[in-house]
Structure formats: C-alpha cells, structure tokens
Amino acid sequence: MSNLETLKQDLAARFRIDNYQLNQAFGDQVLVIPKEDLLSVLSFFKQTDRFDFLMDVCGVHYPERAKPFEVVYHLFSSKDGSRLRIKVALSEGESIDSALPVWKSADWFEREAYDMFGIVFKGHPNLRRLLTHHQFVGHPLRKDYEADRQQHCTSSLPIHFDNEPGSPGDVLNEKYVPLNIGPSHPAMHGTLRVMAELDGETIVRAQPEIGYLHRCFEKMAETHPYNQVIPYTDRLNYCSAPMNNVGYCKTVERLLGVEIPPRAQAMRVILCELSRIIDHIISVGTGGVDLGALTAFFHLFTYREKVYNLFEKLCGARLTVALTRVGGMAQDAPEGWFEDVQAFCKEMRVAVDEISKMLLDNKIFIKRTQGVAPVKAADAIAWGYTGPMLRACGVGLDLRKTTPYYGYDALNFDVPVGTNGDIYDRYLVRIEEMRQSIRIIEQVCRNVPGGDFTIRDRGIVLPEKKDVYGNIEGLMNHFMLVIKGLRPPVGEVYDATEVANGELGFYLVSDGSANPYRLKVRPPCFAIYQSFPSVIKGWMIADAIATIASMNLIAGELDR
Amino acid sequence: MANTNQQDIILNPSLGAPAMTGTQTVNDMSRSFALTTRLDAIVAWGRKNALWPMPYGTACCGIELMSVMGPKYDLARFGAEVVRFSPRQSDLLLVAGTITEKMAPVLVRIYRQMLEPKYVLSMGACASSGGFYRAYHVLQGCDKVIPVDVYVPGCPPTPEAVLDGVMTLQRMIGKNQPRPWRDNWKAPQYE
C-alpha cells in the first residue's frame, strides 16, 4: 500500500487530484483520471522515470454508462516490475489526446482502439483501420455489433503509406520504385504485407499492412464461457500454444483469487519452456530459410516433432493443445512422461550446439545479419519491445526474473542479452535462451512435486468423470458448473507472462457472468512490428526480409 | 472416314497405303480410340504423381503444413515436394489456415493466376468452413470464393490426414473424375 501512497503524494504535488481515483483492485494499481489530464500525467510518469513502458492501450465499451467508453493504459516499470493502470472515461463522439508524443508504442494500439470502438485519438496522424478491412463499416467490439455479422471485402488497397510530418503520405514519388511484398509471399509468412518505395535497392520508406489474419479473438472470447476461451488462446501464437493457455488461465486464476497446486505449476513451467524451445525453433529455422539456409530448418524440425510427441503423450494433440484449465491442468502427466522430457533435453542440448554452428558460425548468415538494422535500447523501450528483441538490445528484462511466477525465482537460469540490437544478436539471444530453457526443464523434472494436478473447487473445476458417472454429488456438481458456468467476481485484472516473443498480457474485465466481459490481449510482436518502418528506413530490401524474419511475427497474435 | 485414314497414314508411315476396306477402317478407328484413352490415363498418371503445391499457409495449419513437408512426414514421397511460392508454377493450391474477409480477394487472385489443370486442397476447419471462428471478419470457408476439390478436417489436421487428403486428390486425378464444382465456378465479382 505504501507504493500507492507515494504515488498519490507525487501526483498531488503536481496535479489537482480531487477528481482522481486511485485504488488497488486484485493487486493492480488503478488510477482513474479525467481526459484533459491524460497527456500531462503520462509525461509526468515518463519524465520522472517512474514507468518506462507503455505496454498496452485499449478500449472497453459499457453501453449502459453515461460515458460509455473507457480508454485503458497499462504502464510498466522495468526497474521494480510495478504496473499502473490508467483509465479515462469518454462519452460517445468525444475524443482523447493521443499518447503518441509521449510513447511511440501507443501508435498501433490507438489505431486498434479506433478500429474496434471508434474512439478518436486527437493528434494521431494515421487514425485509420488497422485490423479490419478497408470496406468494413462500424466498430466490431462495441457491444451492439453482432459477433457473426460478416462484411465482405471485394478489393485490396493499393500501395499506401503512413502520414508523417514531412512525408507525402499515400502520394508516390515518381523517382522511386514502388514495391509490394505479400501477403502471399514466402518471406511474409502468408499473412504480412509490406509496401515500400525503393531508390535502387535502398528503402526510402516502408509500410506494413496487417489484419490479414484478424480472426476476432477478442469478440469470440466475449461470446464464450471462460474455459471455452482456452482453445482460442491456443491459436494466438500457434507456434507455442501452451504458453498462451498458461497466460490466460493465470489471468483468470488471479481474478478468482486461487493458487494452483505445485504439481500443476511445475507442469506449466515445463510446458512453457518446451514451447519456448519449439517457438525459437520456428523462429530460427524460418529465419534461416528466409536467408536461403534450408538445412537448419529441416534439421530443427526433427526436434520440433519430438516435442509434438511429448504433447501428444500428454493430451493427444500436437500443435493446438489446450492443455491447461482454469485451476490447473486438464489431466495429469502419464507415467514416465517426465523421464521422456529429460531424455529429450539431452538430445536437444546437442541439437542447439549443432544449430549454433550451422547458423551463427555461417559466414553468409553473419554477413547478412551482423550490424544490420540495429535498434537502440532507448528506442526499443519507447516502442514497447519485450522479449528476445529487447534483450538483444542489451536490456535484461525478463518477467520470469522481474516478477517471478510458478517458482521461477527458485530456479537457476540466466537471462542472455545482446549488445548491438542487430539481427544477429536476436538469433544469438534466442539460441542461448533455448539452452537456458533446457536447464530450467531439467531442474524442474528432477523433482516434480507430487499431489494433485488441479484444484478441486466445485465452482471452478469439473469433477472427475468417475465421480460424474459414479455418484449423485459428482453428477450435480458437473451439471451445475456446465449450466451455470465458471463465474469470477466482478472486477478487472491485467496479468502478463514471459512468452517466447516477449510480454503476453491479458487484460480481463469480468461482469460476474459466465463469459468474459472484455478480454484484451497484449501481443508482444504487435508492439515490435509497429516499429518496422523506422527500423528499416535506409536499409536494403534484402535486409527488410531478414528483419521481418528476426522479429518472429506470428500472425495469430499479431492480428488476433 | 477418308479423313481419319489419311491422318492415320500420315501419322504411321509404316502402314504404307493399303487398299481401303471397311474392316480396316474400323480397326484404325479402334486403334486411334484406344490410343486416346491411354494418353488420358498416362497424362493423369503423370499429373497425379507430379503435383507442384503452392502452400497458402496463413495460420496454425501453415505450421502443421511445415510438418507435412518436414523430415518426418515428407510429402515428397507422394511426388509433391516441389513447393512453389509462385502460383504460375504450381497446380495444387494448399489453403492451410483461416481465410479472413480481408484475405479473400488475395486468395481469388492467386487462384486465378494458377495454370490449368489446377486443384485446391482445403486444409483444416477454418479453410473448409470458418471453423470455430463464426466471426465478423472470417470467411466461412474458402469454397465461398474458390472451388475446392478436397477438404481435410481437423484443427489443425494431423500430417497423416493431410497426406490422406493429397492421396485422395491423386485418386481423383488418376480416375479423371469429373469436377462439376470446378466447371461451374464463377469468379466472384471483384473490382
């Protein structure tokens, strides 16, 4: 509470805080302010270095309120891992100052809020649709928009660019060659589109277009009960599905105020680290493919298949596993599974060394990546970079160390950091992280706690099938939970986990019903990708391909 | 009739110029007829065993498709290893992943750029029907805009299922199965 008090005093010294509300809810610090003060409060926090990251900006729609819209900002301090949620209420048609002058990372988040809710951010230079197509009418995340009302798109937008001060916007310069890459292009991973203007091979300006895989995750979450949202989370970052399950369930569990048993925690840690390894396999493997190195990809895929086998043993599915449940795991690990995991770790250790030799020591690979399109640490923080991309710039931020969960603080592992923030360092960090993940898994596997794999709260977890079919009490519990649904208390919570790409945050608003009222995902690569135009400016077109590959953009979480 | 004979002689100079009899005309006709069917069969055999897929991987299924191409499952065993990312060099469109409304015009454009004969395999629930995304920005199946030959269920389908789908398509091609959905397809009216 002292933290909250000092925050209050600091604010009182600078602002008239009679109409501010500062409180603590479910462990989160929440500050409600009038919209006029937003920019000055944000810059106050940034200038005093209280919070260095603007992690997320999103909207929420409450149609029954006098001011039906709420814009929610999530600030984060990398020094002590503290977070602050700032909320501003808006009435219909009212606009709010753009946070762009203070934090560059607000760019796409504000565009998304405009797209989804029609909230107007004053001073934002590119307030146009981001995720839905250009012919879309209305704002889909408003509560009066039906989830299944499709609007057909009959054309693709021609090459267009962001408006920036001093830039001609959509007007193309005749001196330069306009170039469109994607969305159907091998280096664009199927769903990204990059438009560029070239002077020779040099990129004068570039512009990504996203939304080609906007599958309406957040609307789907609002129309499904809590446990049925889990399969949807699988498909956010589908390269490392279990991590998304864990992140989501952890958020709901925090709102419910339950702690999962040690065995479930251990299993979740193992799954997370296995997923981190296979995610980096895809990232490093396809990164090599995009630069013309096919061998590493095929070699690494053998090991990805081995992890699929481990997942299959656990649940029967390979890729989209939906392994966790709110309150623990779906089922216990089969006999001998932990030994299998340890055996895999031994093989993987060798494989990582091989890959390291194959790629990181490869002359062509080094020439294509070293010193190419580097990002400075300060810029990376301003853009909201997290994960390996941030650590490659030399910032050792890892949520597993800063705000440990599931016993990560008791485990022995290092956080690798780069020095230059270039493409080579990003792969260097990823490959070292694979080694660290193996270390973590081996430590956890050596002494897995016994006990149950889930909590047994009747209002949260379904009873076991033998009880459902075996006794009347189990049957009634099952019936009640299925009919009534899992109902967390009214409230809201933001929770983040360190996934393969960085910070995956879930902002969950509950109105006490069986479905989430609002579930906002803060995807790590979304914040990273918005920096692409400025990162790639002045580099060659071939460097753009290498940069996109190194950002590890997973369309599922990028477009949601 | 005279025409056929003339052609036959030109095509087969070894036959010389025999006297024209009724029986021979029938014989020649049957020979040329038999030749046509055999050509069809041999072309179909070639087509089915030399599919050049264009992977249109947009989402999770795209990752599973990597497994299909990868070392363990290896689609190359079925003669379909030459993955082309240019629609003009491929004859099998593998739609692997959710097609959103925004993506639909792109997909149609890619399909129209492919050369005949061309086939479409829809991999997974999303590509086949929209899957569990009954949502405002998701096309409810890619067959709304392009003709699909084989649907592979699953979310995502296992690599075995995809291999089965490719083999099903190969059987269809091998038998020259009529494809009315393809023949009656009308391209959506796009700008």
Side-chain angles (χ1 to χ4, degrees):
Chain A
M1 259 338 228
S2 66
N3 203 350
L4 205 64
E5 283 305 313
T6 47
L7 200 65
K8 201 169 199 168
Q9 281 165 14
D10 286 357
L11 282 171
R14 284 284 303 270
F15 304 97
R16 294 185 51 227
I17 60 162
D18 345 325
N19 47 3
Y20 286 17
Q21 287 169 39
L22 190 59
N23 51 47
Q24 195 140 15
F26 297 95
D28 289 355
Q29 297 176 359
V30 188
L31 175 66
V32 186
I33 56 172
K35 69 163 192 155
E36 292 76 24
D37 285 2
L38 176 79
L39 265 192
S40 40
V41 169
L42 283 181
S43 33
F44 165 70
F45 283 134
K46 185 163 189 207
Q47 274 151 21
T48 54
D49 221 12
R50 232 193 153 80
F51 296 100
D52 43 1
F53 281 86
L54 175 64
M55 277 299 180
D56 188 31
V57 181
C58 70
V60 190
H61 188 205
Y62 300 97
E64 71 289 348
R65 290 190 187 171
K67 288 190 166 186
F69 295 103
E70 210 167 56
V71 186
V72 185
Y73 299 79
H74 283 102
L75 303 185
F76 174 70
S77 161
S78 59
K79 277 178 273 318
D80 54 358
S82 62
R83 291 179 189 276
L84 177 70
R85 173 154 66 244
I86 300 180
K87 301 206 288 181
V88 181
L90 292 180
S91 38
E92 177 80 58
E94 213 175 358
S95 63
I96 184 168
D97 286 324
S98 166
L100 211 47
V102 188
W103 264 293
K104 286 191 277 189
S105 58
D107 188 352
W108 277 11
F109 288 102
E110 288 184 345
R111 274 180 70 181
E112 188 193 332
Y114 165 74
D115 190 357
M116 295 293 138
F117 295 95
I119 297 167
V120 176
F121 293 88
K122 225 166 29 202
H124 193 297
N126 300 296
L127 211 56
R128 29 183 170 182
R129 291 194 177 274
L130 183 68
L131 295 178
T132 57
H133 58 78
H134 62 285
Q135 291 165 323
F136 202 90
V137 182
H139 302 284
L141 278 186
R142 289 190 178 192
K143 289 288 173 188
D144 52 5
Y145 195 98
E146 299 95 346
D148 58 352
R149 204 175 94 210
Q150 286 119 16
Q151 301 185 26
H152 299 305
C153 176
T154 56
S155 67
S156 294
L157 273 182
I159 292 180
H160 57 277
F161 290 95
D162 271 358
N163 302 307
E164 278 164 35
S167 130
D170 289 348
V171 184
L172 301 179
N173 191 331
E174 281 183 3
K175 262 169 51 193
Y176 303 129
V177 179
L179 179 73
N180 177 76
I181 317 173
S184 175
H185 182 279
M188 294 295 127
H189 302 187
T191 34
L192 311 170
R193 180 187 182 193
V194 171
M195 299 154 289
E197 261 191 334
L198 305 178
D199 181 4
E201 272 193 70
T202 311
I203 295 171
V204 180
R205 52 181 183 155
Q207 176 68 41
E209 190 186 353
I210 65 168
Y212 285 100
L213 194 62
H214 177 52
R215 303 192 273 196
C216 331
F217 169 82
E218 287 163 17
K219 195 75 175 180
M220 289 293 100
E222 288 173 19
T223 51
H224 285 77
Y226 281 90
N227 267 322
Q228 286 184 17
V229 177
I230 295 172
Y232 285 99
T233 63
D234 269 331
R235 288 149 184 84
L236 287 172
N237 183 345
Y238 35 73
C239 291
S240 51
M243 282 179 145
N244 307 303
N245 300 159
V246 170
Y248 168 73
C249 285
K250 187 166 168 280
T251 311
V252 181
E253 282 150 12
R254 231 185 91 193
L255 192 62
L256 286 162
V258 295
E259 189 169 340
I260 59 168
R263 190 175 175 82
Q265 293 190 10
M267 283 177 71
R268 283 189 183 183
V269 169
I270 294 173
L271 283 172
C272 280
E273 296 310 319
L274 282 176
S275 321
R276 198 182 309 280
I277 292 172
I278 61 171
D279 193 279
H280 288 345
I281 283 179
I282 289 271
S283 169
V284 174
T286 55
V289 171
D290 288 351
L291 298 178
L294 257 171
T295 321
F297 171 76
F298 280 123
H299 185 56
L300 276 172
F301 235 85
T302 316
Y303 295 92
R304 214 182 135 90
E305 289 287 348
K306 286 179 201 278
V307 178
Y308 282 157
N309 278 351
L310 292 173
F311 289 167
E312 267 185 306
K313 278 183 186 166
L314 208 53
C315 71
R318 289 159 47 90
L319 184 70
T320 45
V321 287
L323 270 166
T324 62
R325 293 289 178 276
V326 177
M329 304 299 296
Q331 55 209 6
D332 205 353
E335 210 173 309
W337 190 76
F338 296 104
E339 286 76 36
D340 291 347
V341 173
Q342 276 175 310
F344 165 76
C345 285
K346 275 207 193 78
E347 292 178 53
M348 193 63 211
R349 205 179 277 281
V350 181
V352 174
D353 291 342
E354 282 172 357
I355 286 310
S356 175
K357 278 189 209 129
M358 252 176 180
L359 277 183
L360 297 181
D361 297 349
N362 181 316
K363 195 173 169 187
I364 303 170
F365 188 81
I366 293 173
K367 290 221 161 173
R368 286 288 302 272
T369 56
Q370 231 166 36
V372 174
V375 179
K376 288 193 191 69
D379 286 334
I381 292 174
W383 280 118
Y385 276 36
T386 46
M389 289 287 291
L390 178 67
R391 293 192 280 272
C393 309
V395 183
L397 173 68
D398 190 323
L399 292 181
R400 294 174 295 173
K401 290 278 188 196
T402 321
T403 50
Y405 49 94
Y406 295 156
Y408 271 115
D409 43 348
L411 295 167
N412 203 357
F413 68 99
D414 302 321
V415 177
V417 290
T419 45
N420 306 319
D422 60 3
I423 299 176
Y424 188 76
D425 279 9
R426 292 168 196 163
Y427 288 115
L428 211 57
V429 166
R430 287 206 176 93
I431 286 187
E432 188 52 37
E433 273 185 19
M434 285 157 86
R435 293 201 180 96
Q436 298 302 326
S437 291
I438 296 172
R439 266 178 83 188
I440 297 175
I441 298 171
E442 284 179 338
Q443 287 172 56
V444 179
C445 274
R446 267 200 289 274
N447 52 46
V448 182
D452 214 344
F453 57 91
T454 172
I455 56 167
R456 292 290 171 191
D457 189 320
R458 285 172 199 164
I460 298 173
V461 180
L462 289 174
E464 292 206 40
K465 280 285 176 282
K466 69 172 168 45
D467 292 328
V468 179
Y469 298 126
N471 60 58
I472 186 70
E473 202 196 346
L475 184 64
M476 286 308 291
N477 286 343
H478 190 277
F479 178 79
M480 285 307 288
L481 191 52
V482 169
I483 295 298
K484 202 169 131 269
L486 161 67
R487 287 168 189 258
V490 180
E492 50 189 63
V493 68
Y494 178 88
D495 205 64
T497 47
E498 182 76 28
V499 300
N501 263 345
E503 168 171 330
L504 175 74
F506 285 96
Y507 172 53
L508 173 65
V509 182
S510 160
D511 62 345
S513 69
N515 300 350
Y517 185 78
R518 169 98 170 93
L519 182 65
K520 169 69 170 63
V521 185
R522 189 264 175 209
C525 65
F526 186 76
I528 291 167
Y529 195 33
Q530 59 180 339
S531 70
F532 179 73
S534 53
V535 169
I536 204 59
K537 201 173 196 165
W539 291 89
M540 305 279 244
I541 190 70
D543 302 330
I545 303 297
T547 303
I548 287 199
S550 73
M551 284 177 168
N552 191 23
L553 304 166
I554 307 296
E557 66 173 15
L558 181 72
D559 297 345
R560 279 152 290 144
Chain B
M1 286 303 124
N3 240 343
T4 320
N5 272 328
Q6 235 169 8
Q7 246 179 12
D8 217 324
I9 290 157
I10 294 164
L11 284 171
N12 301 302
S14 60
L15 291 178
M20 304 289 280
T21 64
T23 337
Q24 195 163 16
T25 309
V26 172
N27 273 348
D28 288 346
M29 270 178 75
S30 75
R31 188 156 53 229
S32 60
F33 188 66
L35 187 71
T36 325
T37 43
R38 274 189 58 210
L39 189 62
D40 259 14
I42 208 159
V43 166
W45 175 81
R47 274 178 186 161
K48 80 169 190 181
N49 288 311
L51 288 167
W52 287 28
M54 147 119 195
Y56 202 87
T58 59
C60 338
C61 282
I63 305 294
E64 238 3 21
L65 191 59
M66 288 184 194
S67 282
V68 178
M69 302 291 176
K72 188 169 170 187
Y73 294 95
D74 198 9
L75 191 59
R77 295 177 294 152
F78 301 88
E81 76 265 48
V82 195
V83 175
R84 295 284 120 165
F85 284 97
S86 166
R88 297 180 199 280
Q89 296 176 347
S90 45
D91 56 0
L92 168 60
L93 183 63
L94 290 170
V95 185
T98 315
I99 301 299
T100 58
E101 298 285 1
K102 190 172 185 170
M103 188 60 107
V106 183
L107 179 69
V108 172
R109 191 164 176 176
I110 294 287
Y111 177 73
R112 297 184 71 170
Q113 285 176 349
M114 289 170 64
L115 299 178
E116 292 287 356
K118 51 190 173 185
Y119 310 94
V120 179
L121 184 143
S122 154
M123 175 180 174
C126 286
S128 303
S129 70
F132 73 170
Y133 292 102
R134 199 172 175 79
Y136 58 83
H137 201 253
V138 176
L139 191 71
Q140 302 296 298
C142 68
D143 54 4
K144 293 260 189 289
V145 291
I146 57 170
V148 176
D149 295 297
V150 176
Y151 299 86
V152 180
C155 189
T158 56
E160 292 95 332
V162 181
L163 293 181
D164 184 52
V166 172
M167 287 157 73
T168 308
L169 182 67
Q170 286 180 327
R171 278 197 294 279
M172 283 169 66
I173 300 171
K175 282 191 287 187
N176 278 319
Q177 188 175 323
R179 298 191 295 150
W181 54 88
R182 165 78 189 83
D183 303 335
N184 301 331
W185 176 68
K186 283 191 188 67
Q189 291 300 306
Y190 288 152
E191 290 145 32

